Amino acid sequence: LRPLLTLGDWRFRPAAPGERRSDAWEAELPDDRPLTVRPWRPGDRMRTTPGGTARRVKRYFGDARVPGMDRAGWPVVLAGGEIVWIPGVRRADAATDRSGRPGVRYVCERIRS
């Protein structure tokens, strides 16, 4: 990620010093792996805990009650090729400050037109 990144209707920015949110719109992203943001794809899976079972992103959308028509273009954040954050929906352990890894705190905001 860069200091500010926009992907469709979504904006990612570094969290301001002292800015803390406890919701899924913020994540502590690992600083030791390459980060990528892309739209989710059918069949995508995310593992929330190391060694845990990977679940379909579609299932996380359902759990969060994101309607099917709103899912098109929804971003996922990958660290080293593995999905670690579905903004507004779910973070993996690798995208929390509990992971023990060095990281950078990002906030995702949906830009509504």
Side-chain angles (χ1 to χ4, degrees), residues 38-46 55-59 61 68 71-74 76 83:
R38 65 164 172 78
W40 87 282
R41 300 175 190 144
D44 276 349
R45 294 178 173 269
M46 182 172 78
R55 284 179 56 191
R56 289 180 184 258
V57 169
K58 179 179 179 179
R59 188 164 171 196
F61 283 139
R71 297 175 189 177
W74 201 285
V76 293
I83 297 174

Side-chain angles (χ1 to χ4, degrees), residues 1 13-15 27-31 35 101-107:
L1 291 178
R13 64 171 175 79
E28 180 86 17
L29 298 174
D31 202 14
L35 299 172
R101 294 182 173 167
V104 179
R105 186 167 296 281
Y106 275 88
V107 174

Side-chain angles (χ1 to χ4, degrees), residues 36-100:
T36 308
V37 178
R38 65 164 172 78
W40 87 282
R41 300 175 190 144
D44 276 349
R45 294 178 173 269
M46 182 172 78
R47 187 180 321 275
T48 57
T49 57
T53 302
R55 284 179 56 191
R56 289 180 184 258
V57 169
K58 179 179 179 179
R59 188 164 171 196
Y60 289 115
F61 283 139
D63 292 349
R65 292 183 167 69
V66 176
M69 60 187 278
D70 290 346
R71 297 175 189 177
W74 201 285
V76 293
V77 178
L78 295 83
E82 181 180 342
I83 297 174
V84 296
W85 184 26
I86 309 163
V89 176
R90 181 70 192 244
R91 295 179 297 239
D93 278 354
T96 64
D97 54 9
R98 297 174 295 178
S99 69

